[in-house]
PDB file of all heavy atoms in Angstrom:
ATOM      1  N   MET N  64     -33.015   9.330  59.050  1.00 75.00           N
ATOM      2  CA  MET N  64     -31.666   8.924  58.697  1.00 75.00           C
ATOM      3  C   MET N  64     -31.734   8.384  57.274  1.00 75.00           C
ATOM      4  O   MET N  64     -32.565   7.530  56.980  1.00 75.00           O
ATOM      5  CB  MET N  64     -31.141   7.832  59.622  1.00 75.00           C
ATOM      6  CG  MET N  64     -29.729   7.428  59.267  1.00 75.00           C
ATOM      7  SD  MET N  64     -29.059   6.197  60.390  1.00 75.00           S
ATOM      8  CE  MET N  64     -29.458   4.720  59.491  1.00 75.00           C
ATOM      9  N   THR N  65     -30.930   8.932  56.417  1.00 70.00           N
ATOM     10  CA  THR N  65     -30.933   8.469  55.030  1.00 70.00           C
ATOM     11  C   THR N  65     -29.611   7.792  54.712  1.00 70.00           C
ATOM     12  O   THR N  65     -28.561   8.185  55.216  1.00 70.00           O
ATOM     13  CB  THR N  65     -31.164   9.622  54.039  1.00 70.00           C
ATOM     14  OG1 THR N  65     -30.080  10.555  54.164  1.00 70.00           O
ATOM     15  CG2 THR N  65     -32.475  10.323  54.314  1.00 70.00           C
ATOM     16  N   VAL N  66     -29.687   6.787  53.887  1.00 68.00           N
ATOM     17  CA  VAL N  66     -28.507   6.096  53.410  1.00 68.00           C
ATOM     18  C   VAL N  66     -28.658   5.945  51.908  1.00 68.00           C
ATOM     19  O   VAL N  66     -29.604   5.345  51.426  1.00 68.00           O
ATOM     20  CB  VAL N  66     -28.344   4.708  54.071  1.00 68.00           C
ATOM     21  CG1 VAL N  66     -27.132   3.996  53.520  1.00 68.00           C
ATOM     22  CG2 VAL N  66     -28.264   4.847  55.577  1.00 68.00           C
ATOM     23  N   CYS N  67     -27.744   6.531  51.197  1.00 63.00           N
ATOM     24  CA  CYS N  67     -27.802   6.481  49.738  1.00 63.00           C
ATOM     25  C   CYS N  67     -26.374   6.497  49.228  1.00 63.00           C
ATOM     26  O   CYS N  67     -25.546   7.253  49.704  1.00 63.00           O
ATOM     27  CB  CYS N  67     -28.578   7.680  49.205  1.00 63.00           C
ATOM     28  SG  CYS N  67     -28.662   7.725  47.413  1.00 63.00           S
ATOM     29  N   ASN N  68     -26.076   5.687  48.252  1.00 62.00           N
ATOM     30  CA  ASN N  68     -24.710   5.665  47.748  1.00 62.00           C
ATOM     31  C   ASN N  68     -24.648   5.767  46.228  1.00 62.00           C
ATOM     32  O   ASN N  68     -23.717   5.313  45.607  1.00 62.00           O
ATOM     33  CB  ASN N  68     -23.983   4.407  48.232  1.00 62.00           C
ATOM     34  CG  ASN N  68     -24.635   3.137  47.714  1.00 62.00           C
ATOM     35  OD1 ASN N  68     -25.638   3.192  47.020  1.00 62.00           O
ATOM     36  ND2 ASN N  68     -24.069   1.999  48.048  1.00 62.00           N
ATOM     37  N   THR N  69     -25.672   6.371  45.650  1.00 64.00           N
ATOM     38  CA  THR N  69     -25.669   6.493  44.196  1.00 64.00           C
ATOM     39  C   THR N  69     -26.086   7.885  43.763  1.00 64.00           C
ATOM     40  O   THR N  69     -26.893   8.541  44.410  1.00 64.00           O
ATOM     41  CB  THR N  69     -26.638   5.491  43.536  1.00 64.00           C
ATOM     42  OG1 THR N  69     -27.955   5.784  43.995  1.00 64.00           O
ATOM     43  CG2 THR N  69     -26.274   4.067  43.870  1.00 64.00           C
ATOM     44  N   GLY N  70     -25.559   8.327  42.685  1.00 61.00           N
ATOM     45  CA  GLY N  70     -26.020   9.535  42.019  1.00 61.00           C
ATOM     46  C   GLY N  70     -25.745  10.831  42.751  1.00 61.00           C
ATOM     47  O   GLY N  70     -25.120  10.886  43.790  1.00 61.00           O
ATOM     48  N   SER N  71     -26.257  11.891  42.160  1.00 59.00           N
ATOM     49  CA  SER N  71     -26.011  13.228  42.688  1.00 59.00           C
ATOM     50  C   SER N  71     -26.730  13.473  44.008  1.00 59.00           C
ATOM     51  O   SER N  71     -26.339  14.341  44.771  1.00 59.00           O
ATOM     52  CB  SER N  71     -26.395  14.279  41.653  1.00 59.00           C
ATOM     53  OG  SER N  71     -27.736  14.101  41.254  1.00 59.00           O
ATOM     54  N   LEU N  72     -27.789  12.729  44.308  1.00 55.00           N
ATOM     55  CA  LEU N  72     -28.427  12.870  45.610  1.00 55.00           C
ATOM     56  C   LEU N  72     -27.441  12.531  46.723  1.00 55.00           C
ATOM     57  O   LEU N  72     -27.421  13.169  47.769  1.00 55.00           O
ATOM     58  CB  LEU N  72     -29.658  11.959  45.717  1.00 55.00           C
ATOM     59  CG  LEU N  72     -30.908  12.410  44.993  1.00 55.00           C
ATOM     60  CD1 LEU N  72     -31.986  11.349  45.111  1.00 55.00           C
ATOM     61  CD2 LEU N  72     -31.415  13.731  45.528  1.00 55.00           C
ATOM     62  N   ALA N  73     -26.634  11.519  46.509  1.00 56.00           N
ATOM     63  CA  ALA N  73     -25.681  11.088  47.525  1.00 56.00           C
ATOM     64  C   ALA N  73     -24.518  12.052  47.669  1.00 56.00           C
ATOM     65  O   ALA N  73     -23.870  12.098  48.701  1.00 56.00           O
ATOM     66  CB  ALA N  73     -25.153   9.697  47.185  1.00 56.00           C
ATOM     67  N   THR N  74     -24.264  12.820  46.657  1.00 55.00           N
ATOM     68  CA  THR N  74     -23.115  13.727  46.686  1.00 55.00           C
ATOM     69  C   THR N  74     -23.544  15.181  46.786  1.00 55.00           C
ATOM     70  O   THR N  74     -22.808  16.082  46.429  1.00 55.00           O
ATOM     71  CB  THR N  74     -22.248  13.523  45.430  1.00 55.00           C
ATOM     72  OG1 THR N  74     -23.055  13.783  44.268  1.00 55.00           O
ATOM     73  CG2 THR N  74     -21.682  12.126  45.378  1.00 55.00           C
ATOM     74  N   SER N  75     -24.751  15.418  47.248  1.00 53.00           N
ATOM     75  CA  SER N  75     -25.299  16.773  47.409  1.00 53.00           C
ATOM     76  C   SER N  75     -25.316  17.530  46.088  1.00 53.00           C
ATOM     77  O   SER N  75     -25.029  18.716  46.027  1.00 53.00           O
ATOM     78  CB  SER N  75     -24.516  17.551  48.460  1.00 53.00           C
ATOM     79  OG  SER N  75     -24.589  16.899  49.679  1.00 53.00           O
TER      80      SER N  75
END
Side-chain angles (χ1 to χ4, degrees):
M64 181 177 94
T65 62
V66 178
C67 178
N68 62 359
T69 62
S71 56
L72 284 176
T74 59
S75 300

